Amino acid sequence: MAIMIENVVVVGAGPTGLMLACELCLGGVRPLVLERLPEPTGLSKALVLGGRAVDVLDHRGLLQRFKDCEPRTATSFARLFHFGGLPIDVGRLEGEPPKFVFVLQAVTERLLAERASELGVEVRRGHDLVSIRDDAEFVELTAQSEQGTRTFRSRFVVGCDGGRSSVRQLAEISFPGLQPTRLLRLGDVKFGDPATRPAAWQDGRAPFPEIDDGYFRVITSEPLPPHLARDAPMTLDELRESVRRTTGTDVPITEARWLSRFTDSSRQAERYRKGRVLLAGDAAHIQLPAGGPGLSTGLCDAVNLGWKLAAHIKGWAPADLLDTYHTERHAAGTRMLMHTRAQGALLGGSGEQTPALRELFGELMQDPSTVRRLVDLLQGTDVCYTTDDDADAHPLAGRWAPELTLQTARGRHRLADLMHDARGVLLDFDDGALCDQAVRWSDRIDVIRATCASSPPARGLLVRPDGYVAWAGDHSAATPTRALHRWFGAPDRE
């Protein structure tokens, strides 16, 4: 039987893989998704989406779906916002407040699976990848399922299959980093009779966040035991004993719906692209889940990669567009590892210097400007993609597009509303001359003349499909032509 050739095979139907599949579909390329597990687990390591990931959902018209799924009984995540266990007082924050959507990872996965289904994505579950062979034209993948062994050929394969990624290992992509030093135990649990709980809990100041339906998230951190049986199932007694050691309190845990162990190991793939094999999400980076940055970073990986890979396959991408995925997202991942490693030092350091370090950080966090920097770092809102070496580049170039309310020929819109189709957008706030320059790219971008509800941030903005500004210009001689060629290739008609 002839082997059907796919454009893209995405390995992994977690949030990153599903988000990438949706982005590819919006770009005109329908992928095939292969998933090892026969069914979703329904388990949730991550409790929240924050920062730039919230903006990404907004730009795709998905944010309200997620907000509608926030549990009404859940603890406000802003109350739990911290850096290395040191509370962040958002009341000291100047400017935009932090953004959160409190949804369990399992809910995120379900909502993205529903969106992928709406777009026509095919997900084949129960397929375990066993080999990859990359040649000059295709990637050949072999997977095992209950139906036997199956071979797939694809122009590209993207590993979104987690920290133990089969794609990364089979493609022999190096995964350097730091060895674990601490063991963290996690439980989504219920407690006993409220009357038996410690006194500090009686006024609602429980030290553990409520997730939903009466379940609380308990996490302990201890030095990594020298002879840990990692594959042995964790028990409720093990969690109780760890809580007793770390808090000095017998916590009345009565039941658990999920128990897990993980470490503070942190690693990053040496490269996010090797020929026709790419990595995204936890397959590309693992870290201490302090503040839950992994899931949000993975969604941003997917949105950065999706439009570039689709453009490459559709044939209009500039020659090096796909390579910018590694350049941009590897740097963002490195920065994320930096702050999670720093938090690990504050959270888990056992040396005599750690209390002094925490005291110093606590003092620094009284400064509003420090709070601002930490919030932007944790939320990924400080990410700026470098642009071409242009001394005259606008300050907005390379940054996330500002939130704008626009009046266009089609009515009043937010800029986020214009990004739902994952196309680039050229906004002309002037006399229409920029629209005339960009009209030759109208098969790839939306060219829109608009006015701003407030003062426009520039004479014109060119926004990439992933929400970042490719070009902005203030003076009348500024032109987007160079940026259009750089990010959207040569027009069909020069």
Side-chain angles (χ1 to χ4, degrees):
M1 183 176 65
I3 299 175
M4 183 175 177
I5 297 175
E6 307 288 344
N7 278 314
V8 182
V9 171
V10 176
V11 180
T16 298
L18 291 169
M19 189 72 188
L20 176 60
C22 292
E23 292 294 296
L24 288 166
C25 281
L26 291 173
V29 173
R30 184 165 283 109
L32 172 65
V33 180
L34 301 180
E35 167 58 46
R36 177 179 60 85
L37 297 177
E39 298 292 339
T41 66
L43 302 176
S44 300
K45 179 182 290 186
L47 302 179
V48 66
L49 291 169
R52 195 58 77 215
V54 177
D55 294 327
V56 162
L57 294 175
D58 192 16
H59 272 219
R60 294 299 179 261
L62 299 174
L63 183 55
Q64 193 58 50
R65 294 193 194 192
F66 280 73
K67 286 187 173 181
D68 289 344
C69 292
E70 288 185 297
R72 296 178 181 177
T73 60
T75 304
S76 169
F77 195 81
R79 185 176 70 81
L80 304 169
F81 202 28
H82 69 90
F83 186 87
L86 298 172
I88 293 178
D89 182 1
V90 296
R92 295 180 178 274
L93 190 63
E94 298 175 351
E96 186 179 28
K99 298 178 182 179
F100 300 106
V101 180
F102 197 105
V103 287
L104 304 182
Q105 183 170 330
V107 175
T108 295
E109 185 174 324
R110 174 176 61 80
L111 293 175
L112 291 177
E114 291 172 0
R115 177 57 174 157
S117 179
E118 292 168 5
L119 293 171
V121 174
E122 180 183 3
V123 179
R124 298 188 188 180
R125 289 189 166 272
H127 282 69
D128 193 6
L129 188 66
V130 295
S131 71
I132 288 179
R133 186 175 64 85
D134 184 9
D135 61 30
E137 296 185 23
F138 300 102
V139 182
E140 188 171 278
L141 305 93
T142 303
Q144 290 180 342
S145 69
E146 288 186 351
Q147 289 72 42
T149 301
R150 175 78 184 274
T151 298
F152 302 86
R153 298 192 81 197
S154 180
R155 295 180 63 183
F156 290 90
V157 60
V158 186
C160 302
D161 50 341
R164 299 182 181 181
S165 169
S166 296
V167 173
R168 187 189 65 241
Q169 295 177 43
L170 291 168
E172 298 182 344
I173 297 175
S174 179
F175 199 43
L178 300 182
Q179 294 291 334
T181 62
R182 300 192 69 79
L183 177 67
L184 292 88
R185 294 178 175 89
L186 176 151
D188 288 347
V189 304
K190 285 188 175 181
F191 302 118
D193 186 338
T196 69
R197 299 178 188 176
W201 294 18
Q202 305 308 317
D203 59 1
R205 293 185 289 110
F208 309 113
E210 185 178 2
I211 300 171
D212 63 352
D213 196 26
Y215 281 93
F216 291 77
R217 169 64 55 88
V218 174
I219 300 178
T220 65
S221 174
E222 298 184 88
L224 185 70
H227 303 294
L228 175 67
R230 293 292 301 274
D231 295 331
M234 183 171 153
T235 66
L236 197 56
D237 282 340
E238 181 182 338
L239 180 63
R240 291 190 185 108
E241 291 168 5
S242 183
V243 171
R244 185 184 302 114
R245 287 193 299 269
T246 55
T247 68
T249 303
D250 284 319
V251 177
I253 301 173
T254 57
E255 64 175 276
R257 67 180 181 186
W258 183 37
L259 297 169
S260 180
R261 305 183 193 93
F262 54 97
T263 73
D264 61 347
S265 175
S266 60
R267 296 180 179 277
Q268 185 178 28
E270 185 176 53
R271 43 182 166 165
Y272 286 14
R273 180 189 180 190
K274 182 180 180 182
R276 295 182 176 273
V277 178
L278 300 109
L279 303 174
D282 287 353
H285 42 73
I286 60 169
Q287 66 290 314
L288 180 74
L295 177 53
S296 294
T297 303
L299 295 184
C300 292
D301 289 346
V303 173
N304 185 287
L305 175 59
W307 73 277
K308 296 173 181 178
L309 185 53
H312 185 92
I313 290 171
K314 298 290 283 186
W316 58 258
D320 64 343
L321 181 65
L322 193 52
D323 288 332
T324 67
Y325 168 64
H326 167 84
T327 303
E328 294 180 342
R329 294 309 300 168
H330 192 276
T334 298
R335 189 159 178 78
M336 185 261 293
L337 259 65
M338 177 271 288
H339 79 68
T340 54
R341 287 169 175 171
Q343 291 187 76
L346 289 167
L347 279 165
S350 57
E352 295 180 356
Q353 299 91 341
T354 301
L357 181 63
R358 293 181 64 83
E359 182 179 357
L360 173 60
F361 258 83
E363 289 186 9
L364 293 173
M365 290 169 65
Q366 303 304 306
D367 181 356
S369 64
T370 301
V371 176
R372 175 80 269 167
R373 291 193 66 172
L374 288 176
V375 168
D376 290 342
L377 177 64
L378 292 169
Q379 298 239 302
T381 50
D382 62 347
V383 169
C384 180
Y385 299 139
T386 57
T387 57
D388 293 338
D389 293 333
D390 185 351
D392 297 325
H394 193 280
L396 284 175
R399 299 189 178 278
W400 184 260
E403 295 186 10
L404 300 173
T405 300
L406 308 168
Q407 186 68 41
T408 74
R410 293 181 290 175
R412 189 179 179 87
H413 306 277
R414 296 182 310 131
L415 174 57
D417 299 332
L418 303 179
M419 305 299 297
H420 290 184
D421 293 332
R423 285 166 57 87
V425 172
L426 187 284
L427 295 174
D428 186 337
F429 298 117
D430 202 0
D431 57 4
L434 298 179
C435 290
D436 293 339
Q437 295 174 37
V439 70
R440 292 179 297 157
W441 283 268
S442 57
D443 60 328
R444 298 159 210 175
I445 68 172
D446 294 326
V447 181
I448 300 172
R449 190 174 180 184
T451 58
C452 239
S454 56
S455 298
R459 175 174 171 251
L461 286 179
L462 176 62
V463 183
R464 304 184 336 184
D466 59 355
Y468 284 82
V469 176
W471 171 88
D474 279 329
H475 53 82
S476 58
T479 173
T481 303
R482 181 182 175 189
L484 285 164
H485 277 277
R486 172 71 183 88
W487 296 106
F488 298 97
D492 289 338
R493 301 180 306 278
E494 285 284 10

